[in-house]
Amino acid sequence: MVRIPDTKVALSTASVYPESTATAFEIAARLGYDGVEVMVWTDPVSQDIEALRRLSDYHGVPILAVHAPCLLITQRVWSTDPWVKLQRARAAAEKLGASTVVVHPPFRWQRQYARDFVTGIWRMADETDVRFAVENMYPWRYRDREMPAYAPGWDVTQDDYRHFTVDLSHTATSRSDAMAMAGRMGDRLGHVHLADGNGSAKDEHLVPGRGTQPCAELLEGLADGGFDGHVVIEVNTRRAMSAAEREADLAEALAFARLHLASPPVSASASTSAKSSATSDTSASASPAPTRSQPSPTVRAPRTPRTPRTPRRPRSSGSSGASGSSGARPS
């Protein structure tokens, strides 16, 4: 039997760039996404809580997450003070009914912010029911040189956070083992940015299934483990030749996510064996993040990867058919 997935699949508004935030809501509604993640950036609508509420109500698409303005191009959005940015992102999430604020680790030149970041995120997380899910990043590369751009570091599992976001385009760019990273995050993995990549120095954000990342295996492992967060499609559609092509890519990404989140549940014995294997593999490959003196949930690591399968492109007659709009991720 194939079960209906419990996990909601949302569309990042960054996935329609250079189209507008409003266009993302329209496409999400037309394709049948469960909600949106709002990337707060230079589009004035993305910064306006009342405008976002009206879009959500008009299209009947809930806002499930808010991505704080952490990009280079958003250094002056919602203040130049990074803590003010996070406070405003939390306030927006609370007012809009979103459960998660996605945040990047600081840039290395934000020295004071970086110094206080781990303790500051814990403090803010203690003040709200909204999850602050810190996202894995990657080192910047130029030719054969690698430059650390983030502090405390791009591999967020090396530090102590209550919740994590795993981004599979970023694992490709950092050339990390995505399954091992998700295993280290364990039950603190609260949010997923679903995309793909081929290990290029460029953050590619390909449609899942078009790169080398274990997108299908991660989703199936999350489904088996009772994941209670959201999966967000965050892909680059900037090179789409037409609105219809962009929408077809977003329909394909949605179909991919739902297919693999609805994988048949494994038997109890197989699930236990897979979790034990994943736990031993990840503990051997990297040290777990330090933990605070608080009750720790039982870690459900993603299932041991199966032989990779090549997903088929959804047919136009599928439940999330495509038809019109344009975009790529702001960087």
Side-chain angles (χ1 to χ4, degrees), residues 4-249:
I4 298 173
D6 298 323
T7 302
K8 292 182 178 179
V9 182
L11 177 66
S12 169
T13 59
S15 294
V16 306
Y17 178 84
E19 294 293 329
S20 67
T21 301
T23 299
F25 277 86
E26 179 186 344
I27 293 175
R30 187 159 53 245
L31 295 182
Y33 276 83
D34 297 313
V36 300
E37 174 179 300
V38 174
M39 169 71 78
V40 180
W41 67 298
T42 55
D43 180 351
V45 172
S46 73
Q47 306 170 31
D48 187 328
I49 293 175
E50 290 308 313
L52 292 170
R53 194 197 311 277
R54 288 194 297 271
L55 281 170
S56 177
D57 291 344
Y58 178 78
H59 291 288
V61 176
I63 297 170
L64 302 181
V66 173
H67 195 309
C70 306
L71 307 175
L72 284 172
I73 63 171
T74 61
Q75 292 298 290
R76 295 186 176 277
V77 172
W78 280 358
S79 166
T80 56
D81 184 333
W83 290 114
V84 172
K85 293 174 185 285
L86 294 190
Q87 290 164 1
R88 293 190 63 171
R90 179 189 66 191
E94 290 171 341
K95 292 177 181 177
L96 295 168
S99 63
T100 303
V101 168
V102 179
V103 57
H104 294 179
F107 292 113
R108 290 186 68 84
W109 56 83
Q110 296 174 302
R111 294 181 182 177
Q112 185 61 48
Y113 179 45
R115 189 177 300 118
D116 300 334
F117 184 69
V118 177
T119 56
I121 289 293
W122 271 96
R123 184 176 61 252
M124 294 190 71
D126 286 338
E127 297 170 351
T128 180
D129 292 331
V130 172
R131 293 177 173 183
F132 280 89
V134 186
E135 183 174 0
N136 63 297
M137 298 304 291
Y138 47 85
W140 291 359
R141 292 189 179 91
Y142 177 70
R143 295 181 179 173
D144 295 329
R145 296 182 60 188
E146 188 173 286
M147 297 171 284
Y150 299 95
W154 60 263
D155 182 355
V156 293
T157 65
Q158 299 305 308
D159 293 289
D160 180 23
Y161 301 108
R162 181 172 291 170
H163 292 106
F164 294 105
T165 296
V166 66
D167 184 305
L168 274 75
S169 177
H170 295 175
T171 58
T173 305
S174 65
R175 299 166 189 170
S176 304
D177 183 327
M179 297 298 287
M181 180 173 285
R184 294 196 298 275
M185 291 176 176
D187 274 2
R188 290 187 286 171
L189 173 55
H191 202 68
V192 174
H193 279 170
L194 185 62
D196 214 331
N198 288 311
S200 165
K202 180 181 178 181
D203 187 17
E204 296 171 286
H205 283 271
L206 304 177
V207 171
R210 298 185 186 176
T212 61
Q213 295 304 286
C215 299
E217 290 77 13
L218 179 73
L219 294 174
E220 291 165 8
L222 293 175
D224 286 343
F227 177 65
D228 66 351
H230 304 312
V231 171
V232 177
I233 302 299
E234 191 182 70
V235 297
N236 185 332
T237 63
R238 183 182 303 168
R239 293 188 178 180
M241 299 301 292
S242 66
E245 183 179 335
R246 172 174 294 107
E247 199 158 324
D249 285 347

